[in-house]
């Protein structure tokens, strides 16, 4: 069986570990990884010839006990595998369903209505980005699919994240407006620890709640990047303790209710 039933808050997730459902060894490692959410992938990480086997492996994996919530990323509605994936997830009952290449709200509403499960929408195309606000109103979370989005926008190789800043901020704004969690895309460099740490720190500055990962070794640095520093915690504690309601002075500046709420959110994430 999966992780024990408990209220699921996607805002609590920092690390979203993707792995191919066709890789039994990776599934075993993921169970012990300490990721906040494990996502068994039936889509891009699985070759067409292996789709059926991966689907069966995902269902089998979800019949066992997991120490963390488990999601399945299905194939898109436009693919030939979508129908079989839907049958499988309705039987397996993952904690979350991830929908790739979301183009509009219908992609999310269909899966949610069929399964009754939280659905995370991946924004991976220009069309999905244009419709992200209506998608966010149907979804339980948004995930930036930065690799596919870069390809769809025809960015040149090595362009980096600078051309994606507007897209990333749009995803964050849409998620916040809808009151749902938002997650940044993957960092492709498996050996570049400094690069990962820098990108994860940027993810937090942009307002993301967490980040998609492609290897267990990225989990620790991801959690560190999204954890408040000791200095941030101390200041938040002082601010909450000092707040008396309304606008008031605090350590040389002015604070209001929104500053207190932000400080409390930070303390809740310790």
């Amino acid at each position: 069986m999966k992780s024990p039933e408990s209220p699921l808050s996607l805002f609590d997730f920092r690390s979203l570990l993707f792995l191919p459902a066709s890789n039994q060894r990776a599934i075993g490692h993921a169970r012990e990884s300490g990721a906040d959410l494990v996502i068994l992938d039936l889509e891009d990480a699985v070759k067409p010839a292996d789709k059926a086997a991966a689907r069966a492996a995902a269902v089998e994996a979800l019949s066992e006990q997991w120490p963390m919530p488990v999601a399945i990323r299905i194939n898109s509605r436009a693919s030939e595998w979508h129908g079989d994936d839907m049958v499988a997830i309705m039987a397996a009952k993952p904690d979350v369903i991830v929908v790739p290449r979301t183009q509009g709200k219908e992609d999310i509403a269909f899966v949610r209505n069929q399964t009754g499960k939280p659905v995370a929408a991946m924004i991976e195309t220009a069309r999905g980005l244009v419709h992200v606000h209506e998608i966010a109103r149907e979804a339980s979370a948004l995930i930036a699919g930065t690799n596919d989005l870069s390809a769809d926008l025809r960015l040149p190789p090595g362009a980096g994240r600078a051309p994606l800043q507007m897209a990333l901020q749009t995803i964050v704004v849409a998620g916040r407006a809808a009151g749902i969690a938002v997650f940044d895309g993957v960092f492709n460099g498996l050996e570049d620890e400094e690069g990962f740490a820098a990108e994860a720190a940027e993810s937090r500055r942009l307002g993301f709640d967490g980040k998609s990962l492609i290897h267990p070794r990225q989990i620790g640095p991801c959690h560190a990047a999204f954890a408040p520093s000791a200095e941030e915690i101390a200041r938040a504690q002082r601010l909450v303790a000092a707040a008396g309601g309304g606008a008031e002075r605090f350590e040389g500046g002015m604070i209001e209710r929104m500053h207190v709420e932000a400080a409390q959110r930070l303390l809740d994430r310790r």
Side-chain angles (χ1 to χ4, degrees), residues 39-204:
I39 302 175
L40 304 177
D41 192 12
L42 303 180
E43 199 225 7
D44 280 352
V46 179
K47 296 183 292 187
D50 295 337
K51 294 287 188 182
R55 191 180 302 117
V59 172
E60 180 181 356
L62 281 163
S63 70
E64 301 170 353
Q65 183 71 49
W66 284 76
M68 71 281 285
V70 183
I72 291 180
R73 176 164 74 166
I74 60 175
N75 289 278
S76 72
R77 289 180 72 187
S79 76
E80 63 186 276
W81 305 288
H82 181 76
D84 289 337
D85 287 354
M86 288 297 298
V87 172
I89 61 174
M90 290 173 72
K93 298 185 179 355
D95 296 294
V96 181
I97 300 159
V98 179
V99 174
R101 301 183 68 82
T102 307
Q103 306 282 52
K105 62 182 181 180
E106 299 82 7
D107 294 341
I108 302 304
F110 175 77
V111 175
R112 190 197 65 233
N113 292 339
Q114 290 293 313
T115 65
K117 291 291 186 177
V119 181
M122 295 199 70
I123 307 302
E124 304 184 270
T125 65
R127 183 177 176 184
L129 189 65
V130 167
H131 296 287
V132 68
H133 288 278
E134 65 181 45
I135 291 169
R137 288 192 287 271
E138 295 288 341
S140 296
L142 298 176
I143 303 174
T146 44
N147 284 336
D148 281 275
L149 186 56
S150 295
D152 198 55
L153 295 176
R154 302 185 184 182
L155 300 183
R161 282 166 61 96
L164 291 175
Q165 293 299 298
M166 184 275 288
L168 294 173
Q169 202 70 91
T170 299
I171 292 169
V172 172
V173 169
R176 294 296 174 246
I180 62 174
V182 288
F183 302 98
D184 199 2
V186 301
F187 180 78
N188 297 316
L190 289 175
E191 308 296 332
D192 185 359
E193 295 180 6
E194 274 189 30
F196 176 85
E199 186 170 294
E202 180 196 55
S203 300
R204 185 181 176 220

Side-chain angles (χ1 to χ4, degrees), residues 24 35 38 57 65 67 151 157 160 175 177-179 227 234 241 254:
Q24 290 291 338
V38 168
Q65 183 71 49
M254 293 295 295

